[in-house]
């Protein structure tokens, strides 16, 4: 389990920013499943290196797990800086899937503001077009971070990031 | 398609490369991997090809569990689609591979990585399901349509005006002015090939805050350089996205020691370029130059624009070749040298000229280099020695210090480049055409010549 305190501050800043979040999950029958993330919060407790990832609720249902029970399944999430394309991928095991809290809803709004704003500024894509991508509803996927990879495009893509000297 | 009404045909716009696609794979143990794709293209009505150059983990996963989930985005509506795919095969040659390789080499050309950044393979997937993602959506937005070409009327008018141009200076000016004023393109440049056939230089432009006369780009570099190297039109609708990706890859190569730090190919004139169309100008099978039109907005040009600009480039290329040969002939009709015109201002201008590459500075500011710089220096030496201001193209082109090649010496182009550069800079030295194959050096300040020899 990776401790948040061992992640570089700029890595935390990237992942909690309005970066593009893309998510890999696995369906009940073992197939990969791509979706988007709508906000990532890295837990503060050092002994409990968890991340809270907001994903489209309909996509979690579409995975086909009985009662949406994803606990123990693996997840991958890649955060990509809109301008530099610096990308970090976290991999880990899902601890729970939870209904969204009011804080989660605020987090989605803040994330969309940051993400859509960055895309508008850097890529000249109008905000109203980006708003069409906003999910109808989200759920929170809580997972423990086990591996960290540098996914920035180039020959070094996929290299494991050494975390806290480990 | 096995389970959904949507087909790959419905998703054609998603594969224009404007918005990066996403791919997720997973290992046999069920550990997913998710990343962006650089390029994806439809192969047939149920298969797509994906560029594979940095997908080591995805390839590893596919070897043991040949399934993928992809997200593609329609750039006009931002509707998103999830594709379920089964990996079928990898190709390293053939038309599908070549198509993706061409896309990748264009990206590489933006930051001068043609020698190191290559497509490794094209992975072919059979798509078994397509679903639209559940999003807020909303009313269908107005689709972003490319700039409609202005139609036959303005095109015909521009062709007519070009055919009435009697010299190179008016021809190059009319070309870029007509592209902007008559055909409605926001920014246009005409670049000509240099004497060595290795670089393009801008001889005229319209629609830029700075004219950029004399700016150079190597063949193969950037969109204009690539159009010249391939002698075919190059249309890029997502330049901002491609440039971002290219910069990121270049940085990664630099960090890994694969290449040294390099200068990014300067994009022509605009701070943020969204789309570009470059069309080579050919006459008798020889490359004469390139016309470049561009826009800050993405996806502004279509194939019909390429056709329109191709018509203009054909006329321009043919006219340039005709003018060059006519000027060479007319140059035989020399006239006696005249004395210098009186200097009107009493001021002086400090001219520094570097032998090594012809770089020439006026009062400390860079003016021009290469043949055009050597040409100015030659004229000024004549002026200093015997007060001459009137010259013929034929006599000047024989000056050995210009180091012009025997074949296709490009003298007229360089003379016009020098003239336009001096005009752009509002310099106290100017070139004025006095007849076919003749010109005059206008001197409004006393030149103080300073030759900087090789150290």
């Amino acid at each position: 389990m990776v401790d948040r305190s061992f992640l570089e501050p700029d890595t935390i800043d990237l992942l909690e920013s309005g970066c593009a979040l893309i998510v890999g999950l696995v369906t009940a029958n073992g197939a990969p499943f791509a979706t988007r993330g709508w906000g990532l919060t890295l837990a503060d407790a050092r002994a409990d290196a968890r991340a809270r990832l907001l994903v489209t609720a309909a996509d979690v249902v579409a995975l086909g797990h009985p009662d949406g029970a994803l606990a123990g399944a693996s997840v991958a999430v890649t955060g990509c800086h809109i301008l530099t394309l610096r990308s970090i991928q976290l991999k880990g095991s899902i601890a729970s899937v939870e209904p969204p809290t009011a804080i989660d809803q605020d987090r989605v709004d803040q994330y969309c503001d940051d993400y859509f704003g960055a895309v508008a500024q850097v890529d000249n894509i109008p905000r109203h077009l980006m708003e069409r991508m906003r999910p109808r509803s989200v759920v929170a996927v809580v997972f423990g971070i086990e591996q960290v990879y540098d996914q920035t495009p180039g020959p070094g893509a996929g290299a494991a990031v050494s975390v806290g000297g480990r | 398609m096995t389970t959904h009404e949507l087909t790959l045909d419905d998703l054609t716009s998603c594969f224009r490369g404007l918005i990066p696609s996403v791919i997720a794979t997973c290992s046999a143990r069920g550990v997913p991997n998710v990343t962006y794709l650089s390029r994806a293209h439809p192969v047939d009505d149920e298969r797509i090809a994906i560029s594979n150059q940095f997908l080591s983990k995805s390839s590893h996963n596919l070897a043991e569990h040949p399934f993928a989930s992809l997200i593609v985005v329609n750039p006009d509506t931002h509707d998103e689609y999830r594709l379920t795919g089964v990996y079928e095969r990898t190709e390293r040659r053939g038309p599908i591979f070549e198509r993706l390789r061409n896309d990748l080499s264009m990206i590489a050309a933006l930051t001068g990585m043609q020698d190191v950044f290559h497509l490794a393979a094209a992975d072919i997937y059979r798509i078994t399901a397509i679903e639209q993602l559940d999003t807020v959506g909303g009313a269908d937005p107005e689709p972003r349509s490319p700039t409609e070409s202005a139609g036959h009327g303005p095109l015909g008018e521009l062709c007519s005006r070009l055919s009435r141009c009697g010299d190179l200076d008016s021809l190059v000016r009319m070309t870029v002015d007509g592209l902007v004023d008559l055909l409605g393109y926001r920014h246009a440049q005409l670049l000509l090939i240099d004497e060595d056939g290795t670089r393009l230089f801008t001889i005229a432009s319209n629609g830029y805050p700075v004219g950029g006369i004399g700016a150079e780009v190597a063949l193969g570099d950037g969109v204009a350089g690539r159009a010249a190297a391939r002698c075919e039109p190059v249309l890029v609708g997502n330049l901002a996205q491609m440039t971002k990706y290219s910069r990121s890859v270049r940085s990664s190569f630099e960090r890994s020691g694969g290449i040294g730090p390099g200068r990014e190919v300067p994009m022509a004139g605009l701070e943020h370029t969204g789309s570009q169309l470059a069309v080579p100008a050919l006459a008798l099978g020889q490359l004469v130059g390139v016309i470049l039109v561009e826009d800050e907005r993405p996806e502004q040009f279509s194939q019909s624009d390429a056709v329109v600009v191709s018509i203009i480039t054909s006329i321009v290329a043919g006219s340039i070749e005709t003018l060059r040969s006519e000027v060479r002939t007319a140059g035989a009709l020399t006239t006696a040298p005249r004395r210098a015109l009186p200097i009107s201002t009493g001021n002086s201008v400090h001219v520094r000229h570097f032998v090594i590459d012809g770089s020439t500075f006026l009062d400390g500011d860079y003016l021009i280099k290469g043949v055009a710089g050597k040409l100015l220096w030659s004229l000024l030496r004549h002026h200093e020695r015997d007060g001459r201001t009137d010259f013929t193209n034929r006599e000047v082109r024989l000056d050995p210090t210009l180091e012009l090649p025997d074949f296709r010496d490009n003298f007229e182009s360089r003379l016009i480049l020098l003239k336009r550069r001096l005009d752009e800079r509002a310099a106290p030295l100017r070139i004025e055409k006095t007849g076919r194959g003749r010109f005059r050096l206008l001197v409004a300040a006393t030149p103080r010549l300073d030759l900087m020899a090789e150290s």
Side-chain angles (χ1 to χ4, degrees):
Chain A
M1 189 75 76
V2 173
D3 188 321
R4 172 194 165 102
S5 65
F6 287 102
L7 290 173
E8 293 292 333
D10 65 335
T11 299
I12 297 172
D13 289 346
L14 169 68
L15 293 169
E16 291 188 335
S17 72
C19 65
L21 289 171
I22 53 176
V23 179
L25 295 165
V26 181
T27 66
N29 59 11
F33 187 92
T35 185
R36 291 190 186 276
W38 297 101
L40 178 67
T41 306
L42 298 167
D44 285 328
R46 291 191 175 188
D48 186 16
R50 294 191 175 193
R52 189 175 184 87
L53 172 65
L54 303 170
V55 299
T56 306
D59 284 350
V60 171
V61 173
L63 293 171
H65 293 277
D67 301 325
L70 285 173
S74 295
V75 60
V77 55
T78 297
C80 177
H81 191 278
I82 301 301
L83 176 61
T84 65
L85 303 189
R86 181 188 173 219
S87 302
I88 294 291
Q89 181 167 217
L90 305 179
K91 291 189 180 183
S93 298
I94 296 174
S96 61
V97 177
E98 301 171 2
T101 64
I103 293 174
D104 289 332
Q105 299 291 3
D106 289 345
R107 181 80 184 92
V108 170
D109 289 340
Q110 182 62 54
Y111 172 78
C112 287
D113 273 349
D114 294 345
Y115 174 41
F116 297 165
V119 170
Q121 185 176 9
V122 173
D123 294 335
N124 201 21
I125 294 178
R127 171 81 183 232
H128 72 270
L129 274 177
M130 293 299 293
E131 286 286 352
R132 289 174 57 82
M133 299 168 68
R134 188 188 282 260
R136 293 182 196 280
S137 60
V138 298
V139 292
V141 173
V142 179
F143 68 98
I145 303 166
E146 295 166 355
Q147 296 162 317
V148 185
Y149 296 94
D150 183 348
Q151 209 67 34
T152 306
V161 174
S162 92
V163 180
R166 300 180 197 181
Chain B
M1 295 308 103
T2 56
T3 59
H4 290 272
E5 294 178 359
L6 285 167
T7 69
L8 286 177
D9 271 351
D10 300 320
L11 273 55
T12 304
S13 295
C14 301
F15 297 107
R16 296 206 304 259
L18 193 59
I19 298 178
S21 303
V22 176
I23 182 169
T25 57
C26 69
S27 68
R29 292 191 301 114
V31 178
N33 191 80
V34 64
T35 189
Y36 282 103
L37 295 170
S38 51
R39 298 297 287 179
H41 276 304
V43 173
D44 56 32
D45 58 2
E46 60 177 11
R47 289 176 181 78
I48 64 170
I50 287 171
S51 61
N52 181 346
Q53 58 281 334
F54 304 128
L55 303 179
S56 56
K57 184 60 183 173
S58 299
S59 297
H60 183 81
N61 283 347
L62 290 168
E64 56 184 49
H65 193 63
F67 301 96
S69 175
L70 301 103
I71 295 175
V72 298
V73 185
N74 181 323
D76 300 322
T77 64
H78 274 227
D79 289 337
E80 295 189 281
Y81 303 90
R82 183 180 295 109
L83 282 56
T84 302
V86 180
Y87 168 74
E88 283 195 336
R89 65 185 188 277
T90 292
E91 296 193 356
R92 290 187 171 81
R93 63 176 66 85
I96 298 168
F97 178 83
E98 288 302 324
R99 204 164 123 206
L100 283 171
R101 185 163 74 165
N102 191 31
D103 285 353
L104 260 288
S105 59
M106 182 63 247
I107 292 172
L110 294 175
T111 53
M113 290 189 296
Q114 298 93 317
D115 296 335
V116 293
F117 182 31
H118 301 292
L119 178 65
D123 292 340
I124 312 297
Y125 293 79
R126 182 167 55 84
I127 302 304
T128 58
I130 301 173
E131 62 172 321
Q132 185 168 352
L133 268 60
D134 183 45
T135 62
V136 168
D140 282 345
E142 288 289 318
R144 279 184 295 183
S145 58
T147 304
E148 288 299 322
S149 56
H152 294 160
L155 174 62
E157 176 61 24
L158 179 53
C159 292
S160 172
R161 292 187 190 184
L162 288 171
S163 64
R164 288 196 293 270
C165 290
D167 59 67
L168 189 59
D169 191 24
S170 58
L171 178 74
V172 300
R173 190 178 66 248
M174 178 57 68
T175 301
V176 294
D177 290 353
L179 286 164
V180 172
D181 299 337
L182 289 173
L183 299 187
Y185 297 112
R186 288 185 173 187
H187 313 277
Q189 292 186 51
L190 173 61
L191 303 96
L192 298 182
I193 191 78
D194 72 0
E195 296 74 14
D196 301 330
T198 59
R199 300 182 72 79
L200 296 164
F201 61 91
T202 301
I203 194 165
S205 68
N206 191 330
Y208 298 92
V210 178
I213 304 302
E216 294 187 4
V217 62
L219 258 65
D221 280 354
V223 174
R226 188 158 175 78
R230 297 175 67 86
C231 283
E232 63 183 28
V234 175
L235 195 165
V236 179
N238 60 334
L239 200 67
Q241 194 65 246
M242 287 172 65
T243 303
K244 261 195 333 186
Y245 183 79
S246 191
R247 281 180 189 152
S248 176
V249 172
R250 176 156 192 118
S251 297
S252 183
F253 271 114
E254 288 173 3
R255 283 195 301 274
S256 69
I259 51 176
R263 185 175 60 86
E264 186 167 325
V265 177
M267 302 314 297
L270 295 180
E271 191 174 352
H272 300 290
T273 309
S275 35
Q276 287 185 327
L277 167 64
V279 180
L282 298 161
L284 298 173
Q286 298 291 317
L287 181 70
V288 174
V290 169
I291 285 179
L292 178 76
V293 293
E294 53 185 339
D295 201 292
E296 293 88 347
R297 300 163 295 176
E299 298 278 292
Q300 288 304 303
F301 306 120
S302 65
Q303 287 302 326
S304 66
D305 292 295
V307 171
V308 166
V309 178
S310 292
I311 293 169
I312 302 303
T313 56
S314 298
I315 294 171
V316 171
S319 300
I320 287 174
E321 283 304 291
T322 303
L323 285 167
R324 281 173 175 166
S325 59
E326 281 186 1
V327 166
R328 287 184 192 116
T329 306
L333 305 172
T334 57
T335 54
R338 295 181 190 175
R339 303 298 300 174
L341 295 175
I343 294 170
S344 58
T345 65
N347 296 330
S348 68
V349 56
H350 181 204
V351 183
R352 275 195 306 151
H353 178 74
F354 289 79
V355 173
I356 189 166
D357 65 352
S359 292
T360 304
F361 296 73
L362 296 186
D363 285 336
D365 293 332
Y366 172 74
L367 177 72
I368 205 153
K369 68 175 183 177
V371 173
K374 293 173 182 174
L375 171 58
L376 178 61
W377 185 253
S378 173
L379 300 178
L380 290 172
R381 290 296 303 273
H382 279 292
H383 179 266
E384 182 186 55
R385 201 164 49 234
D386 54 22
R388 283 188 62 193
T389 56
D390 286 80
F391 302 89
T392 68
N393 293 11
R394 168 159 286 198
E395 63 172 321
V396 177
R397 70 155 32 94
L398 293 175
D399 183 342
T401 65
L402 300 184
E403 299 177 3
L404 290 169
D406 293 337
F407 178 65
R408 294 175 62 81
D409 63 27
N410 233 5
F411 175 82
E412 281 72 28
S413 304
R414 293 301 186 175
L415 180 62
I416 297 305
L417 172 64
L418 174 61
K419 174 189 181 302
R420 296 180 66 80
R421 183 70 176 146
L422 291 167
D423 290 346
E424 183 184 56
R425 293 286 309 278
L429 308 169
R430 302 291 182 96
I431 301 289
E432 178 186 69
K433 184 175 171 63
T434 53
R436 184 151 287 192
R438 299 174 195 145
F439 64 93
R440 179 172 298 147
L441 176 67
L442 300 179
V443 179
T446 305
R448 291 186 289 109
L449 304 188
D450 197 358
L451 183 64
M452 313 298 286
E454 274 184 81
S455 58

